[in-house]
Tab-separated table of all heavy atoms in Angstrom:
chain	number	residue	atom	x	y	z
A	196	SER	N	4.560	-1.512	-21.893
A	196	SER	CA	5.619	-2.574	-21.684
A	196	SER	C	6.840	-1.977	-20.947
A	196	SER	O	7.555	-2.715	-20.266
A	196	SER	CB	6.041	-3.183	-23.008
A	196	SER	OG	6.694	-2.175	-23.796
A	197	ARG	N	7.087	-0.680	-21.079
A	197	ARG	CA	8.201	-0.087	-20.337
A	197	ARG	C	7.953	-0.121	-18.833
A	197	ARG	O	8.868	-0.268	-18.029
A	197	ARG	CB	8.461	1.343	-20.810
A	197	ARG	CG	8.883	1.443	-22.242
A	197	ARG	CD	8.843	2.871	-22.722
A	197	ARG	NE	7.471	3.404	-22.603
A	197	ARG	CZ	7.160	4.691	-22.733
A	197	ARG	NH1	8.076	5.586	-23.002
A	197	ARG	NH2	5.903	5.100	-22.611
A	198	ALA	N	6.670	0.021	-18.449
A	198	ALA	CA	6.372	-0.064	-17.054
A	198	ALA	C	6.514	-1.490	-16.527
A	198	ALA	O	6.866	-1.707	-15.341
A	198	ALA	CB	4.908	0.455	-16.810
A	199	ILE	N	6.271	-2.468	-17.396
A	199	ILE	CA	6.483	-3.878	-16.983
A	199	ILE	C	8.007	-4.137	-16.840
A	199	ILE	O	8.415	-4.695	-15.869
A	199	ILE	CB	5.862	-4.840	-18.022
A	199	ILE	CG1	4.315	-4.644	-17.993
A	199	ILE	CG2	6.252	-6.280	-17.753
A	199	ILE	CD1	3.583	-5.449	-19.048
A	200	ASP	N	8.755	-3.656	-17.804
A	200	ASP	CA	10.212	-3.858	-17.748
A	200	ASP	C	10.751	-3.313	-16.421
A	200	ASP	O	11.694	-3.859	-15.848
A	200	ASP	CB	10.937	-3.129	-18.915
A	200	ASP	CG	10.646	-3.796	-20.246
A	200	ASP	OD1	10.124	-4.935	-20.260
A	200	ASP	OD2	10.907	-3.128	-21.271
A	201	GLN	N	10.165	-2.237	-15.925
A	201	GLN	CA	10.621	-1.626	-14.707
A	201	GLN	C	10.328	-2.488	-13.476
A	201	GLN	O	10.901	-2.260	-12.420
A	201	GLN	CB	9.908	-0.244	-14.571
A	201	GLN	CG	10.584	0.729	-13.620
A	201	GLN	CD	9.786	2.004	-13.461
A	201	GLN	OE1	8.788	2.245	-14.152
A	201	GLN	NE2	10.213	2.838	-12.554
A	202	LEU	N	9.490	-3.501	-13.621
A	202	LEU	CA	9.196	-4.416	-12.516
A	202	LEU	C	10.072	-5.662	-12.549
A	202	LEU	O	9.884	-6.539	-11.716
A	202	LEU	CB	7.729	-4.842	-12.558
A	202	LEU	CG	6.675	-3.742	-12.433
A	202	LEU	CD1	5.286	-4.367	-12.330
A	202	LEU	CD2	6.963	-2.909	-11.182
A	203	VAL	N	10.962	-5.752	-13.527
A	203	VAL	CA	11.791	-6.939	-13.680
A	203	VAL	C	13.186	-6.666	-13.093
A	203	VAL	O	13.950	-5.810	-13.650
A	203	VAL	CB	11.884	-7.379	-15.125
A	203	VAL	CG1	12.725	-8.619	-15.256
A	203	VAL	CG2	10.477	-7.629	-15.690
A	204	ALA	N	13.530	-7.352	-12.023
A	204	ALA	CA	14.869	-7.159	-11.408
A	204	ALA	C	15.936	-7.724	-12.301
A	204	ALA	O	15.758	-8.802	-12.921
A	204	ALA	CB	14.913	-7.818	-10.052
A	205	ALA	N	17.078	-7.044	-12.372
A	205	ALA	CA	18.165	-7.514	-13.230
A	205	ALA	C	19.129	-8.364	-12.428
A	205	ALA	O	19.423	-8.064	-11.270
A	205	ALA	CB	18.898	-6.300	-13.764
A	206	LEU	N	19.559	-9.424	-13.056
A	206	LEU	CA	20.652	-10.219	-12.507
A	206	LEU	C	21.862	-9.318	-12.292
A	206	LEU	O	22.234	-8.579	-13.239
A	206	LEU	CB	21.007	-11.372	-13.478
A	206	LEU	CG	22.235	-12.219	-13.087
A	206	LEU	CD1	21.951	-12.986	-11.816
A	206	LEU	CD2	22.628	-13.122	-14.247
A	207	ASP	N	22.430	-9.331	-11.125
A	207	ASP	CA	23.484	-8.374	-10.788
A	207	ASP	C	24.705	-9.161	-10.231
A	207	ASP	O	24.828	-9.346	-9.010
A	207	ASP	CB	22.990	-7.372	-9.753
A	207	ASP	CG	24.060	-6.327	-9.392
A	207	ASP	OD1	25.138	-6.348	-9.954
A	207	ASP	OD2	23.725	-5.491	-8.503
A	208	LEU	N	25.543	-9.630	-11.177
A	208	LEU	CA	26.672	-10.453	-10.741
A	208	LEU	C	27.633	-9.679	-9.841
A	208	LEU	O	28.250	-10.270	-8.966
A	208	LEU	CB	27.439	-10.972	-11.963
A	208	LEU	CG	26.747	-12.159	-12.662
A	208	LEU	CD1	27.525	-12.512	-13.950
A	208	LEU	CD2	26.613	-13.359	-11.759
A	209	ASN	N	27.704	-8.374	-10.005
A	209	ASN	CA	28.615	-7.607	-9.147
A	209	ASN	C	28.231	-7.686	-7.660
A	209	ASN	O	29.068	-7.501	-6.816
A	209	ASN	CB	28.633	-6.142	-9.560
A	209	ASN	CG	29.335	-5.949	-10.882
A	209	ASN	OD1	30.010	-6.796	-11.363
A	209	ASN	ND2	29.112	-4.738	-11.476
A	210	ALA	N	26.940	-7.918	-7.426
A	210	ALA	CA	26.498	-7.896	-5.999
A	210	ALA	C	26.368	-9.309	-5.450
A	210	ALA	O	25.930	-9.496	-4.313
A	210	ALA	CB	25.179	-7.150	-5.906
Side-chain angles (χ1 to χ4, degrees):
Chain A
S196 66
R197 295 168 301 170
I199 294 174
D200 292 345
Q201 200 183 353
L202 298 186
V203 181
L206 174 67
D207 182 2
L208 283 176
N209 289 346

